[in-house]
Amino acid sequence: MDFDTPLFDTALAEAWVRAIAAAVEKEQARLTELDSAIGDGDHGSNLHRGFSAVLAALDDLRPAGSGTVLTKTGSTLISKVGGASGPLYGKAFRAIGAALPDPAGPADVAEALAAGLDAVRALGKAAPGDKTIVDAYTPAVAAFRATAAAGAALPEAAAAAADAAEQGARDTVPLQARKGRASYLGERSIGHQDPGATSTALLFRALADVAAG
Ligand SMILES: [Mg+2]
């Protein structure tokens, strides 16, 4: 391995989680607005409460490996966040943490992120096109994998994943929700961006930002 290549290590794992917490804080009102349109309006406040608890948990955790940082993040989200998003993101982070070697190269990170997506799909039973987290997460993993397989370093793979996640979130606008509370609205869910796909895009953008250093 090229030693100039930045690796996903404990410091990066912690920086990623802290960057997500900051992004959730900044975008809380927007997430709530999106969830008010097609859900029950609690997505921003739920994630904000969850990641505030995660920050407190991380302060008690040091020193720990990157896998432990992420599994602790997941466990905290499961215990502190109501609605569907806590268990879904919680399981994702636990799966990512369990799959991640420390330190990890781009291909390792791609596979760990894919394990997180598998966990989301196993719990939520959502497929691409159902207007959920999966619609941002699936293209993000595909882009991360393809970019890493082409020999790109971590920052480049993470940036490609973030771009794909943001596009995937935008692409939920014309979809009719088939899972979650938004599905109760039927055709009235069309024309709104999915809040879960939107928070997933925040999560991948946070990874790209910290990987870029
Ligand atoms: Mg909600």
Side-chain angles (χ1 to χ4, degrees):
M1 186 169 290
D2 177 356
F3 288 103
D4 292 334
T5 301
L7 296 173
F8 191 103
D9 58 9
T10 308
L12 192 64
E14 194 170 331
W16 181 29
V17 174
R18 290 185 184 280
I20 296 168
V24 164
E25 169 128 42
K26 186 161 170 273
E27 299 294 329
Q28 184 182 345
R30 178 165 169 258
L31 294 174
T32 291
E33 189 184 318
L34 292 172
D35 195 33
S36 297
I38 59 169
D40 55 358
D42 62 357
H43 193 53
S45 57
N46 277 342
L47 287 186
H48 185 254
R49 186 172 59 253
F51 277 94
S52 298
V54 165
L55 292 183
L58 287 188
D59 287 339
D60 293 340
L61 195 64
R62 275 178 273 186
S66 57
T68 306
V69 167
L70 297 176
T71 53
K72 184 68 180 174
T73 295
S75 300
T76 305
L77 292 176
I78 289 169
S79 67
K80 299 289 183 188
V81 182
S85 59
L88 289 167
Y89 282 129
K91 293 264 187 182
F93 276 104
R94 285 170 57 125
I96 295 167
L100 203 62
D102 186 1
D108 301 318
V109 176
E111 292 323 301
L113 292 168
L117 176 59
D118 289 344
V120 167
R121 291 195 61 170
L123 181 63
K125 311 279 189 250
D130 286 348
K131 199 177 181 101
T132 72
I133 287 170
V134 170
D135 289 307
Y137 203 151
T138 302
V141 165
F144 202 114
R145 245 188 195 143
T147 314
L154 192 57
E156 198 181 330
D163 290 346
E166 287 167 359
Q167 185 62 53
R170 286 192 293 272
D171 288 346
T172 64
V173 172
L175 298 176
Q176 178 173 333
R178 288 194 294 249
K179 289 285 174 193
R181 194 176 286 268
S183 66
Y184 308 159
L185 293 177
E187 289 182 357
R188 283 185 292 135
S189 63
I190 295 171
H192 301 278
Q193 184 164 314
D194 182 63
T198 305
S199 56
T200 296
L202 290 181
L203 191 151
F204 277 97
R205 181 55 65 193
L207 179 57
D209 287 347
V210 298

